[in-house]
Amino acid sequence: MVLNNFKIAFRNLRKHKLFAAINIIGLALGMAVYVLAGLIARYESNHDAFFENSDRIYTLGINAAPGLNVGIDKMNVVNSAVGPILEAEHGEELDAVARTLRYEYLVSRGADGFYERVTFADPALLEIFDFDYLAGDAEALNSSSGLVLDRSTAIRFFGTVDAVGQVLTFDNQYDFSVLAVIEDVPLDSHFNSSLIMDGELRIIAPIGALASLRGFEAEGEWSNLSMDNMTYVMLPPSLDAQWLQAQMDGLYERLMPEQQREIIASYYVDPLQQANLAIWDAIGMPAITIIQLLGLMVLIVACVNYTNLATAQSLGRTREVGMRKTMGADQRQLLVQFLVESLVIAAIAMFVAVACIELAIPVFNNLTNKAMSLNYLDTLPWLVATTVLVGLAAGLYPAWLITRTSPIEALRDLARKGRKGAAMRSTMIGLQFGISAFMLALVAIVYVQNEKVKEGSFIFPRDEVYNLSRLGVDEIAPRLDTLKNELEALPGVAGVAYSSQIPFEQSNAQRDYATKPGDESTEFRVNTLRMSPAFLSVYDIPLLAGRNLDRDIAGDVLVPEETEVLNVVVNELTLERMGITTPQAGVGQRLYRLGEEGTLRELVIVGVVPTQNILGLFNQEKPWIFSYFASQMSTASLRISSGNMLQTISDVEAVWKRVIPEYPIQGSFLNETFDEVYDVLKYMNSALAGFAAVALALAMIGLFGLAAFMAAQRTKEIGVRKVLGASSFQIAGLLVWQFSKPVLWALAVALPAAFFATKIYLNFFADRIESPILLLAAAGATAVVLAWATIAGHAWRIARANPVMALRYE
Amino acid sequence: MLKLHDLYKIYRTDEVETVALNGVNIEIDQGDFVAIMGPSGCGKSTLLNIIGLLDNPSSGDYFFFDENVAGYNESKRSDIRKRNIGFIFQSFNLIDELNVAENIELALLYQKIPAAERRRRVNEAMDRMGIGHRAKHMPGQLSGGQQQRVAVARAVVVNQSLILADEPTGNLDSAHGQEVMELLRSLNNEGTTIVMVTHSATHADYAKRTVNLFDGHVVTDAMRAA
């Protein structure tokens, strides 16, 4: 009996090759997308599991208070002062605490140097993470000049992993010796997370070395908080996250400086496995859930597709069912028969899907620098369960529909059956197109928003600014004037400006200023940017009132430990925060700096520029203060006149080589800085578009099949209408309208849903698209037009057929 | 009114060529009531389809009110059809999802007639066929005879000058069959031309003239002795 069921199933597939192919391809496509989404989710949420103690390792993080104002809710970094305090207070109870900080240095072996992001870590890092040592051991960081390299870095510098004892020099000044070489950290570690920029463990140096490198004291700081300030805690098996959380809460209460409480609301403890996803937690976007949901949606569309096509097809088999029933089959037996068929199809589809995924994974890994794989041992139960569920869910309705009729009815009355499931089929068509339109609307809105972000970025001359970075080195600083003069002498260079930050660089240097001296209640937070006066002209920033800064005017230039009153340029938003309405009224107004450190007490506004989104991208517009402070310049911005840019760039490189021969030039166009973050937005939308395209394609396949079926069902009616004089056009319209109704109903639900869903995305942006209503309408219209295009051919062919054919065999 | 001259209809499939009509010549005048008889497969329905402009002949001429319509395309035929010809089928061909009134209205829907006028004429036709009290019923709720009356009402609602009936009584018992034939006769008396295909000699007697077909030929064409 079971064998017989399988035999029938395969024979039916062979007999209806086209239908079978459509069914299998559609289902396979849906399954492939679903499984891939599941694999991604699984991969991303199972990072770092290979570390022996991964279940005992935790990262510390901060929950943002309103004062942080950089658009994140939480981040798994803490002030570098926290680690040592925890160690001092609870060193006996917990197993280990280690901090990491990352800074970029020119790392050279002799004359060959690379700019490298070096991870400075407490020695305990090597206790917490059991790296795979190729040379040396976990004691390497105990010496303040010891280094740990990973395999690739060792090979890059020395051509061998046998590098212990070799010397590397940082910024041409500080010598370190390699004491250990570890195997490259696997890609599925949060250190290599594609979501966290530049976290790779290539070179590990002891945190103690930072004392001489940049005056960083080992006890850490309360004031600084950067994305690199990770602190890891390893607990003994007897203690858990709650215990650690309690210690952190206590620590916050007792020790957190008042100032910091405005930006840090509390501490949290996360298991290590969460670290890879921390960036999504930070911006409050549940990316993994979204991917899983999208995958599930596509799978549902595929199932509905199958159900519809199978229903249509099975009605052609009512005669078979009638015969079987006449000969004594009961409904249960027939149900089993039809379900076996749909299970067979689901299984074939899953094989196809798995084959597609096996082909896709290497490409995907390559594109995204991941090491995903389809591990059959782990995923088999899930794949089988998915197959069975899909087979049953998709096959149950057609099986039930076709097997429930009495044998006489089944043998005699073919047409009647089609109508009974009409509401169900319409609902399913609606569901498919609703999901597709929903995704389409998301894609459209995200796309247009991204375009808007891009468009907004053109307030700065993106194509014409060439930036030279890594200037913040003591050795380079004295040569900046020479560099500037020589660069400005080049024919293709229209201007050279130095600054601490350039547009689109994601860095927030913020400070509180008060509008009344000594009155803390008038304080507000301002982003600060150090610049040379040419910055405004290089970046086309107009002056609305007052004047630009000038190096020859004494009060304009900050002299550390000396200046008490400094002239600055501010943007309009700063004036707004001060309660000043016009740029003109702002000139001459003052801002006050409270607190102990430094000599600077007062700022005088001498110039006002418009509010521009300097951080760009998804950031909110912020109040900015531009001041002139000759040191602390990290970047030179060169305004390159269009024309022979290549020549100009090579001239610039020649100048650099002459002036600063011992450091390699690090040049890039402003475009590239922008694209670095913008590409993330773009890729996100490409992924979304991929999901939407698959869903839409499936919905169209389904509709195509269903239109064929429905047209067949209505043959008689169409014949009658034609005999009575309906034109082909009217008939086609009738059929098209029949399918438009459920699609339109679905849109009425899907588009508002999409509207709310995109709000999550739009909320990230300061400069939002005005109203997504038009886009929603466009997405809806696209879905409807595609639905029409799918059925129009059918409808037209059937509408043109000779009515006699329709009525002949009644 | 109708003139068929040397009409051929040949069906071709890959292997066989079937001659359904083999040089048929018939003239039908206005006000005529013609019964077409003959064994199964003799070409009755094919002839009716061609007369009803549902199908084209393979060759020959067909004059419909002096207009040779033999080579007309579907849209032209459809245009003539909806203005002049009503159809009655053996299996009624009512649309199951539409109620009685809507089924009848269907015939008016494809003419340019305002809704109020359509309603008036539907009511009139239903009264005439004695099915006014069934207006809101679905076809499935009616007996065969009642369904065929609805079909007749649908055929006459446009005031067609020609009604084609393809075995209108074939699915009915004798009492209901007779009812329908009486209806047709009264329509004919009012001036409507009727061409009917039937197997029943009794029902053929209602016609003024009987045409016998055999293998695509007209074998006899006789006026009924009045």
Side-chain angles (χ1 to χ4, degrees), chain A residues 652-700:
Chain A
V652 167
E653 281 168 0
V655 168
W656 178 281
K657 272 223 177 80
R658 203 160 57 240
V659 181
I660 310 170
E662 70 273 41
Y663 284 84
I665 187 168
Q666 296 287 305
S668 63
F669 276 96
L670 186 59
N671 268 341
E672 299 167 53
T673 311
F674 177 78
D675 287 343
E676 211 172 285
V677 181
Y678 184 71
D679 281 348
V680 176
L681 304 180
K682 243 172 42 185
Y683 292 145
M684 266 168 57
N685 204 29
S686 308
L688 195 58
F691 280 111
V694 173
L696 197 62
L698 287 172
M700 284 169 68

Side-chain angles (χ1 to χ4, degrees), chain A residues 528-539:
Chain A
T528 57
L529 188 142
R530 319 276 198 198
M531 62 165 196
S532 67
F535 188 82
L536 297 188
S537 60
V538 164
Y539 284 103

Side-chain angles (χ1 to χ4, degrees), chain A residues 262-336:
Chain A
E262 287 171 24
I263 58 172
I264 298 171
S266 60
Y267 289 129
Y268 72 85
V269 173
D270 244 358
L272 179 65
Q273 295 211 351
Q274 196 60 32
N276 178 51
L277 299 173
I279 189 77
W280 298 115
D281 289 343
I283 61 174
M285 186 187 273
I288 296 302
T289 314
I290 289 175
I291 287 181
Q292 281 175 311
L293 268 179
L294 289 174
L296 188 64
M297 280 183 178
V298 171
L299 185 65
I300 289 174
V301 170
C303 283
V304 169
N305 215 10
Y306 174 84
T307 303
N308 268 340
L309 289 175
T311 309
Q313 197 201 351
S314 67
L315 286 166
R317 293 170 65 186
T318 28
R319 211 172 284 271
E320 177 196 334
V321 171
M323 281 310 296
R324 284 176 185 273
K325 282 200 168 182
T326 312
M327 292 188 289
D330 63 23
Q331 191 183 0
R332 207 175 47 80
Q333 287 168 317
L334 287 170
L335 261 180
V336 169

